[in-house]
Amino acid sequence: MAASDTIGGTPRQRATDYLLRRHRFRMAEALPWLIAIAVFFIFPTRMTFGSQVLVMVMFALSLDLILGYAGIVTLGHAAFFGVGAYTVGLAAARLDWTEPISGLFAAAIAAGLVGFVTGWFLLRYRGLTLLMLTLATAILLQETGNLRSDISGGYDGLPGLTFKPLLGVFDYDLYGHTNYLYALTVLAIIFFFVRRIVYSPFGQALTGIRENVRRMHAIGSPVHRRLVTVYTIAAAIAGVAGALFTQTNAYVTLTVFDFDNSAKVMVMLILGGTGRLYGAFVGAAVYMVLEDYFSKLSPTFWQFGIGLMLVLAVLFTPRGILGLFERIGDYLAERKRS
Amino acid sequence: MPQVANIAVSILFDGLAYAMFLFITSVGLSVTMGLMGFVNLAHGAFAMAGGYVVVTLTRTYGVGFVPSLVIAAVVVGAVSVVFERVLYRRLYKSTDLEQVLLTIGLAFMAIATATYLYGPIPKSVPLPEWLQGDVNLGFRYFPSYRAFLIVLGAVLIAVLWYAFERTNIGAKIRAAVDNRRMAESVGINVDRLFTLTFAVGSGLAALGGGLAIQLLGLSPSFAVLYLVLFLIVVAVGGLGSLKGTLLAALVLGIFDTGGKYLLADAGGFFVYAVTVVVLLIKPAGFYGRE
Amino acid sequence: MAALQVEKLNRTFGALPVTRDVDLTLERGARCALIGPNGAGKTTLVNLITGVLKPHSGRVLLNGEDITASSQADRARRGLARTFQINQLFRGLTVLENLCMTVGERDGHCNNLWRSSGSKREVIDEAIGYLDSLRLTDDALKLVRELPYGRQRLVEIAIALAQKPRVLLLDEPAAGVPSSESHLILDVVAALDPDIAVLIIEHDMDVVFRFAKEITVLVQGAVFTQGTPAEIMSNEQVRAVYLGQEGHRGGHHG
């Protein structure tokens, strides 16, 4: 049995085995989690930054569902991050609702609702129309917040938020240790969900939409329903990421809705590699660490570098860092064989 | 003049001037996107580059404002051809995503370069005397600069309209926007047309960037900040349509100006609300092909 | 009751009428060919029947039910399948995934977000069954885009079969395939389940006359004439507008 997927077996058996086993956990998948845990012990003073990385991983992961799997390009994913961030922020600042975990659920529901409603209207369109409508959605939310700055705090934001201890037990420390473990736990749970979705028949149908939407229509797939479903899920996850952002930073401003934020998460995902689950991890981590280092050196230089990286990525490594590794791996395997 | 009418005239006048700026800057983007379906997020960077060329020429070399505008348009138009030949060309058949990423990357690099050369602080230009102060139009005084913008816009619209509707090249462009494959099969060289319109469009964007210094202020972030507006004008107007771009520029220019006059806090709310409404009703824009 | 019935279908592009008062009936198990010169509107007719385009007037009935207002996907789920003149495949996925996706969408498995797609053994077995019948099993784990065009053409047909259609529209199934390989594809077409009603668009008159029991000739968007192969072959007008012009009634496959 075990040998069939390596050497033996008829083509039929091999094909069957491939699909039967594809979704199983591989050892290499433990690596990013082990690294995340190791970071906790090696860099105990950088936990606030670490939490931010984890939040961005989650944000990029949510975009991967739409962009990497379903192949829908949007320029307004920050809308959902922002809705989540403000759900928690406003609840804490205006309603004194400071219990963190129920806050995450509220953020997921609020962002998911916004995703469902906007997605239902927008996902009929493609190309420039869709790009513009998603972009306009994020900016409209931002402008609405600015209109009612008496509630939202405008661009000054909602500073100095405090939240109840986690599960009523774990209080927040100066170094952000609690926050880091909290963010890591939430990320692990979200990741588990996303992984199930990606390997489900529904997830396969998403890749079908990405690869050839005309064919999907022709085989009877309810494409719009599939897209609205995944858009809603991705929006909810982005909302959770936004909520964690507010909770771990203890403040939020309207800049979360910025086009920059939508562009940044897309750059991270592209950098890591789209449609491959762990691209979000690699991309967000690499981007954040580089940004942290270079933007202290010179923000101008950093911006130039990001631009250059994007141009080079499009021209030479369309499948991101992970894709690059795969190609190197393929090349080495090829050489070994010959 | 009664107060209400006075405000209405101001909104119309300022809105018109703003619309002319939007039209001049966006029209090239609309035609190139209509021709190749290329999503060019670096268009704002060409406009910004034009602005900085004008700043350098007027401030460092003492060239007059109007000659500087012309030089900026020519220089940026010529440089844009290099980008088109070397980079854009490779991605005509690629996905939206790759085009978005490449051109965002270029925009970032442009912003960083501008910050490095000119610093992050907004720049201004010395204007000739006849563009300063107000001009009397019989019943009221208006800012001369905005009057200049409106006149210049009207002249450019006339020229572009003539080029588009009455010349041989214009007919070819319209045919290629309408049906690229058909145009190629009757022997129109769409690639070369594209390079030409790309150069003219980028040159006009540079002109717009030069004009924007006085109107909106010029800092490196101009490249992305106003890009969104240009894209909206293109999307709302309909790809590749001169008429549509003009109509969209007018509607958005006047709505934005009116919104800011009447409800200062609303910021860009009106522009985006109008955009969403128009695109939901007419997804291909006013004059786009469905 | 006819498997597929098209009544007085009309469609224009701008001012240009591309489909004019077309009537067409496919009985259960029909073997019908649609021929006509280039630009006669054959593919447009397929697009109207499958719902890619909406007709401006007329009706389309599938097993007696009016589907004129239905979406493409809805028609597909009711048993109307097609192949495309130019391949429309999931090029970045494996051949097996192309088939599993089709079976999954057909049976509604793709509504499931939680179960892994490999856990339904019967879906995989059925998908491989279709590959077996077209001798594609050896390529099951290759990406579609890695296959030569002729093999991709077979995947196109395999997908249509995996939809378990009642009515199958084949838009030039052998188009773009070198003639040395096209007989493979045409053998598959000849061996289709006799219960499925098939409409084939094909330029090769050899194939048309061998395969079809009825032939519809479309000229400038309208039905020029309909009849048995013998009737069509002996129709002087058809020869004038179509066969004569194509000039290879004897065929070159021989």
Side-chain angles (χ1 to χ4, degrees), chain B residues 224-259:
Chain B
V224 171
L225 212 57
Y226 288 95
L227 167 73
V228 175
L229 271 179
F230 308 148
L231 285 168
I232 282 178
V233 169
V234 171
V236 168
L239 295 184
S241 163
L242 212 59
K243 223 179 352 176
T245 310
L246 179 58
L247 184 58
L250 286 172
V251 169
L252 295 170
I254 290 171
F255 260 90
D256 193 39
T257 310

Side-chain angles (χ1 to χ4, degrees), chain A residues 91-337:
Chain A
R94 307 286 177 235
L95 306 175
D96 209 26
W97 177 0
T98 56
E99 201 288 310
I101 292 176
S102 61
L104 291 188
F105 280 100
I109 291 168
L113 263 177
V114 175
F116 176 76
V117 173
T118 59
W120 197 83
F121 282 107
L122 305 192
L123 289 168
R124 273 171 270 185
Y125 309 119
R126 284 283 159 109
L128 180 67
T129 307
L130 181 63
L131 290 179
M132 286 298 97
L133 284 170
T134 51
L135 181 68
T137 306
I139 300 181
L140 269 180
L141 286 167
Q142 188 175 40
E143 294 286 353
T144 310
N146 192 35
L147 259 181
R148 297 306 307 268
S149 49
D150 51 325
I151 299 173
S152 72
Y155 284 93
D156 298 332
L158 303 168
L161 302 170
T162 50
F163 293 94
K164 278 189 191 147
L166 268 180
L167 305 169
V169 183
F170 304 105
D171 214 340
Y172 307 98
D173 54 303
L174 198 57
Y175 296 104
H177 291 145
T178 312
N179 275 334
Y180 185 83
L181 293 179
Y182 171 44
L184 188 60
T185 311
V186 177
L187 177 63
I189 295 167
I190 296 269
F191 179 78
F192 176 70
F193 276 89
V194 172
R195 199 180 182 287
R196 297 275 332 194
I197 292 169
V198 162
Y199 285 111
S200 73
F202 172 81
Q204 254 206 323
L206 295 181
T207 61
I209 293 170
R210 176 190 73 203
E211 293 290 327
N212 194 333
V213 72
R214 289 176 74 179
R215 172 55 80 182
M216 281 312 264
H217 286 296
I219 63 171
S221 173
V223 171
H224 185 250
R225 196 174 84 209
R226 300 258 182 276
L227 288 179
V228 174
T229 308
V230 71
Y231 202 67
T232 306
I233 293 169
I237 295 173
V240 173
L244 270 177
F245 175 82
T246 303
Q247 290 175 349
T248 53
N249 286 310
Y251 77 84
V252 58
T253 80
L254 283 176
T255 52
V256 289
F257 289 103
D258 274 354
F259 172 66
D260 280 5
N261 203 18
S262 297
K264 192 164 140 180
V265 69
M266 188 154 80
V267 171
M268 289 178 185
L269 184 60
I270 301 300
L271 203 63
T274 55
R276 42 185 73 237
L277 276 179
Y278 289 96
F281 287 72
V282 176
V286 169
Y287 183 102
M288 296 282 285
V289 170
L290 288 179
E291 183 185 44
D292 184 56
Y293 181 74
F294 284 110
S295 66
K296 265 181 219 155
L297 230 56
S298 154
T300 309
F301 179 74
W302 165 242
Q303 190 169 34
F304 190 88
I306 279 288
L308 188 65
M309 266 199 298
L310 274 178
V311 171
L312 295 179
V314 171
L315 295 178
F316 301 112
T317 60
R319 291 183 296 160
I321 295 177
L322 282 183
L324 191 68
F325 283 151
E326 272 170 28
R327 265 184 14 200
I328 294 171
D330 288 350
Y331 174 74
L332 292 178
E334 194 71 26
R335 278 191 50 173
K336 216 169 163 185
R337 226 176 291 154

Side-chain angles (χ1 to χ4, degrees), chain C residues 48-60:
Chain C
L48 287 169
I49 294 171
T50 53
V52 177
L53 294 170
K54 294 276 174 237
H56 290 148
S57 67
R59 293 202 304 165
V60 181

